[in-house]
Amino acid sequence: MATIRLAVIGLGKIARDQHLPAIAGDEGFVLAATVSPDNAGVTGVPHFASLDNLFAAGPAIDAVALCTPPQVRFDLARAALDRGLHVLLEKPPGATLGEVAALVAAAEASGSSLFTAWHSRYAAGVEPARAWLAARRIDRVRIVWREDVRVWHPGQDWIWQPGGLGVFDPGINALSIVTRILPRPLLLQDALLSFPANRAAPIAAELTLQDTAGTPVVMDLDFRQTGPQSWDIVVETDSGTLTLSSGGAVLALPGQSRHDADREYPALYRHFAELIAAGRSDVDVAPLRLVADAFLCGRRVEVAPFVD
């Protein structure tokens, strides 16, 4: 297959920390252009202030990776799909479920590949955990996803705005893992969302869920944790306890454990290349649907203002 000429749209922290190194290490892609109105770009790579400018004057491209905040992603993705380009959507794939549904239709109409890139599903322990759980009775699940927003999202005001998800921006990573490793769909039962008095998105959340067989799942999210960070999923089964920690990188099973190197974003791009080669899309909205259900049905409480 010919090398895929890729443009990265949005050059914030996630693009620079993860996307650009993964692209540089993948022979199937070449970074053909970058787009950002607020960033000088990458040395030696054509850079544009807008996607329209890239289309008007830039080099030919085959695909785009959208790393912008979710609130502005739909119009950019739709413009790319309408030109027959393949599109990778950083998580969450859109600000609403309706946006993602419209993009699926646009991708089908254009014959382009559309990929909702749930990067945490590619953590080293996720697929082994899924395989181990498939043969066991699951009794209960507990998710603790607590981190320091000032460390991971410094000065990112978009995350506190409508559509920015607040603490669900990292929390949706946990949901992307559990919807992959558990054998049955999850349903929201209750949610308590803690909104800072000066913000439009929650800083913490407690979710009560169950799968379609009634297995209880509880979730604890918080953006206010300092010191060691917590990204843990504990699954109690009839054969003992499975623990995924470090965001899915470390898997502990009864009597054994494994920890592999970070491979999430390189695996994302390998899969994106495979989708393009096969003329397929990979779109899953299950994690986003659960977040939407929490906003729809959750109880809201006001907590102290947050100042970055």
Side-chain angles (χ1 to χ4, degrees):
M1 185 180 72
T3 302
I4 299 164
R5 299 165 297 184
L6 181 75
V8 172
I9 317 301
L11 286 175
K13 181 175 173 59
I14 195 66
R16 291 191 174 275
D17 289 353
Q18 299 291 349
H19 287 264
L20 296 183
I23 295 163
D26 192 321
E27 295 181 352
F29 291 92
V30 60
L31 182 62
T34 57
V35 175
S36 174
D38 306 312
N39 195 288
V42 177
T43 301
V45 177
H47 180 72
F48 302 87
S50 71
L51 188 57
D52 286 341
N53 288 350
L54 168 59
F55 290 155
I61 58 173
D62 306 301
V64 300
L66 283 170
C67 306
T68 66
Q71 296 97 324
V72 300
R73 200 170 292 159
F74 174 78
D75 288 341
L76 297 168
R78 183 59 191 265
L81 291 169
D82 286 348
R83 285 179 170 263
L85 302 177
H86 309 290
V87 174
L88 180 153
L89 298 169
E90 177 58 86
K91 62 85 189 170
T96 69
L97 290 165
E99 286 183 354
V100 182
L103 293 178
V104 169
E108 291 174 350
S110 69
S112 301
S113 296
L114 179 65
F115 179 30
T116 50
W118 300 108
H119 65 84
S120 290
R121 287 184 174 176
Y122 296 85
V126 172
E127 287 306 308
R130 182 173 186 258
W132 192 83
L133 290 171
R136 288 163 175 85
R137 186 193 72 233
I138 299 171
D139 295 325
R140 60 187 56 84
V141 182
R142 177 167 177 78
I143 304 161
V144 178
W145 223 255
R146 290 170 160 251
E147 64 181 49
D148 187 344
V149 66
R150 292 183 175 89
V151 171
W152 300 100
H153 297 278
Q156 295 180 4
D157 287 340
W158 63 264
I159 206 168
W160 299 110
Q161 297 168 2
L165 300 190
V167 75
F168 283 105
D169 181 78
I172 206 170
N173 293 334
L175 291 172
S176 75
I177 293 174
V178 295
T179 53
R180 177 63 182 168
I181 66 174
L182 299 182
R184 291 177 292 270
L186 290 178
L187 304 172
L188 180 78
Q189 303 299 302
D190 187 33
L192 179 64
L193 311 180
S194 298
F195 282 74
N198 60 337
R199 302 291 181 172
I203 198 168
E206 298 174 16
L207 271 60
T208 302
L209 310 104
Q210 65 179 30
D211 71 11
T212 51
T215 305
V217 179
V218 295
M219 187 173 195
D220 173 13
L221 306 176
D222 206 313
F223 249 165
R224 299 167 293 190
Q225 179 146 311
T226 57
Q229 310 285 276
S230 303
W231 300 295
D232 305 316
I233 299 171
V234 179
V235 185
E236 297 179 27
T237 80
D238 59 340
S239 299
T241 299
L242 174 153
T243 302
L244 275 171
S245 55
S246 298
V250 180
L251 171 63
L253 298 172
Q256 58 180 298
S257 65
R258 58 183 290 176
H259 182 188
D260 295 329
D262 177 21
R263 63 181 191 186
E264 294 179 15
Y265 281 84
L268 277 184
Y269 277 95
R270 284 195 299 273
H271 186 51
F272 190 33
E274 292 166 357
L275 291 173
I276 293 170
R280 298 190 299 109
S281 291
D282 183 354
V283 176
D284 182 11
V285 296
L288 183 59
R289 183 183 296 116
L290 289 169
V291 173
D293 288 349
F295 277 97
L296 180 65
C297 299
R299 295 171 288 126
R300 173 173 174 158
V301 295
E302 186 174 290
V303 296
F306 172 80
V307 179
D308 199 352

